[in-house]
Amino acid sequence: MRVKQQLVGLSPYKPGKPIDEVKKEFGLNEVIKLASNENPFGCSKFAREAIANVLDQLAIYPDGYAANIRTEVANFLHVDERQLIFGNGSDEIILILCRALLTPGTNTVCAVPSFPQYKHNAVIEGAEVREVPLVNGVHDLNAMLAQIDADTKIVWVCNPNNPSGTYTDAESFQEFMAKVPKDVLVVSDEAYYEYVVAEDYPSTLPLLSQYDNLMVLRTFSKAYGLASLRIGYGVGNADFIQTIEPAREPFNTSLLAQVAASAALKDQEFITHCKEQNRGGLEQYYRFCKEHNLDYYPSQGNFILIDLQRSGNDVFNYLVSKGFIVRSGEALGFPTSVRITVGNTEQNDAIINELKQYLNS
């Protein structure tokens, strides 16, 4: 069988190591996973109750148009329902956009290191990928602007950026939007939006009325704690959304995901609690880094990238043997760092104590 040439040598996405696998490998009874930026506090009880109420409907296909959650999200964001597209996680929206816009002979612009699925999906479509290095962990928007030409179809701005946790401020983003050609789509990927505390973070939704070429991505996988259900969405120009809808697979979000997301959206007290706990957790890591003179990026997400000044794989292997799963920076473009998801207070203390042992060994 002959597959697309672009697939030859292309690696699939590698998620964090599974807990059960680590338990078996190291003979551990307890393993703490802080690798995939999941919510350590789970999800709203409203979401669990909503799932329980529809378990007798599992034999029926879900609403392909996701009408109920569409209305809920539209009302919550104060946008028109026609401006929304739902996906199997916001990363499916990335796939849909690449599928709809990119072809051989076109190109896309993104930062590096950043979320790898922008490049991954573009490569599959045969498009050229123009990567612009981060500067001090932040998108270099001027350099990205310089990479845009007549064949550019999409520019990706991961904000906050994964894996650095840094962000592009409002003034920089608005200046960038004003200079990007109107026929080039700018995607503001805001998977960690609910965790942001920076006062000068861009308010992108109001910009949609000004820029038809802007699209905002958000997800229920992170702060809302519904990662296993896979549901996210994009917000953009209504006419553009209708144009790309044929690239979306039928029934791409499940009934369980739709009802859970709808219920979770109503529990903003839970989101506020998670946001506050996340800030406290980050402070735990900041204190640790300062005590040991370690470089790190102040994070607007629910994770922190720490430069331990030694092989990220070595740090990963040490921690996993002790029952802590993190992400090695060697796979993320930061070879002497590790990315750690912020857990609860006890989890953070436990891994920080283990890191202290590692640094002293």
Side-chain angles (χ1 to χ4, degrees):
M1 295 292 185
R2 292 185 180 180
V3 301
K4 281 184 176 181
Q5 183 61 36
Q6 300 95 289
L7 290 173
V8 178
L10 188 65
S11 300
Y13 180 79
K14 295 180 181 179
K17 206 165 187 178
I19 290 176
D20 288 343
E21 181 180 327
V22 173
K23 284 183 177 180
K24 291 179 181 178
E25 182 176 351
F26 295 98
L28 299 169
N29 293 322
E30 182 180 0
V31 171
I32 297 173
K33 183 186 177 188
L34 299 172
S36 300
N37 304 339
E38 296 145 332
N39 189 336
F41 304 103
C43 66
S44 166
K45 65 178 181 180
F46 296 168
R48 296 193 296 272
E49 292 169 355
I51 290 172
N53 289 334
V54 297
L55 290 179
D56 60 347
Q57 300 179 40
L58 297 185
I60 303 171
Y61 281 111
D63 174 10
Y65 190 62
N68 289 336
I69 182 61
R70 180 181 299 273
T71 299
E72 296 284 353
V73 171
N75 291 338
F76 182 74
L77 300 181
H78 304 292
V79 299
D80 191 295
E81 292 185 17
R82 297 174 302 160
Q83 291 182 262
L84 294 167
I85 183 171
F86 286 84
N88 190 253
S90 58
D91 45 356
E92 192 194 15
I93 309 300
I94 295 169
L95 182 153
I96 290 170
L97 290 171
C98 290
R99 187 179 186 185
L101 297 177
L102 299 180
T103 60
T106 65
N107 69 72
T108 185
V109 180
C110 60
V112 63
S114 191
F115 188 50
Q117 293 305 100
Y118 312 140
K119 178 179 181 179
H120 184 89
N121 285 292
V123 169
I124 290 174
E125 299 303 329
E128 177 191 356
V129 181
R130 298 182 176 180
E131 297 179 297
V132 177
L134 301 174
V135 175
N136 297 322
V138 180
H139 284 55
D140 186 347
L141 294 183
N142 287 331
M144 292 174 71
L145 191 67
Q147 290 294 320
I148 297 173
D149 63 18
D151 296 319
T152 304
K153 298 298 181 182
I154 311 174
V155 179
W156 309 92
V157 180
C158 188
N159 201 23
N161 186 52
N162 177 16
S164 61
T166 55
Y167 73 104
T168 297
D169 64 72
E171 182 178 359
S172 299
F173 186 78
Q174 290 174 26
E175 289 178 354
F176 179 70
M177 286 301 306
K179 296 175 182 177
V180 173
K182 303 304 181 186
D183 61 345
V184 175
L185 180 69
V186 176
V187 179
S188 181
D189 187 349
E190 302 175 2
Y192 301 94
Y193 169 81
E194 289 80 11
Y195 288 110
V196 173
V197 297
E199 293 183 358
D200 59 345
Y201 181 82
S203 181
T204 48
L205 294 180
L207 295 177
L208 293 171
S209 61
Q210 184 177 354
Y211 297 103
D212 290 344
N213 61 325
L214 173 62
M215 190 161 184
V216 177
L217 305 187
R218 293 185 184 170
T219 184
F220 287 95
S221 294
K222 304 304 180 184
Y224 286 95
L226 301 178
S228 70
L229 295 181
R230 312 304 301 124
I231 183 166
Y233 59 92
V235 196
N237 174 269
D239 291 338
F240 175 69
I241 295 294
Q242 297 309 306
T243 301
I244 65 172
E245 270 283 352
R248 179 180 63 79
E249 293 297 318
F251 312 118
N252 63 327
T253 59
S254 71
L255 170 64
L256 300 186
Q258 291 177 27
V259 299
S262 180
L265 197 65
K266 296 179 176 70
D267 193 356
Q268 290 302 307
E269 288 186 10
F270 175 77
I271 298 300
T272 299
H273 171 74
C274 294
K275 183 175 183 177
E276 292 172 349
Q277 293 297 310
N278 184 68
R279 281 295 117 192
L282 282 170
E283 290 297 331
Q284 290 177 266
Y285 289 103
Y286 295 164
R287 289 193 295 270
F288 161 70
C289 290
K290 290 171 183 175
E291 289 171 5
H292 294 271
N293 295 313
L294 299 174
D295 291 332
Y296 67 95
Y297 292 115
S299 178
Q300 294 296 320
N302 67 333
F303 58 90
I304 184 169
L305 186 73
I306 302 175
D307 187 350
L308 290 152
Q309 300 162 13
R310 56 199 76 190
S311 164
N313 285 348
D314 287 349
V315 180
F316 168 84
N317 290 330
Y318 173 83
L319 289 174
V320 77
S321 72
K322 302 297 183 180
F324 297 93
I325 309 173
V326 299
R327 287 300 297 270
S328 168
E330 294 201 28
L332 302 174
F334 293 91
T336 60
S337 299
V338 291
R339 191 194 68 192
I340 304 173
T341 302
V342 177
N344 61 38
T345 301
E346 293 74 21
Q347 292 171 335
N348 298 331
D349 280 338
I351 195 170
I352 286 171
N353 287 334
E354 205 59 69
L355 284 169
K356 289 178 179 178
Q357 295 293 322
Y358 174 79
L359 292 173
N360 292 330
S361 64

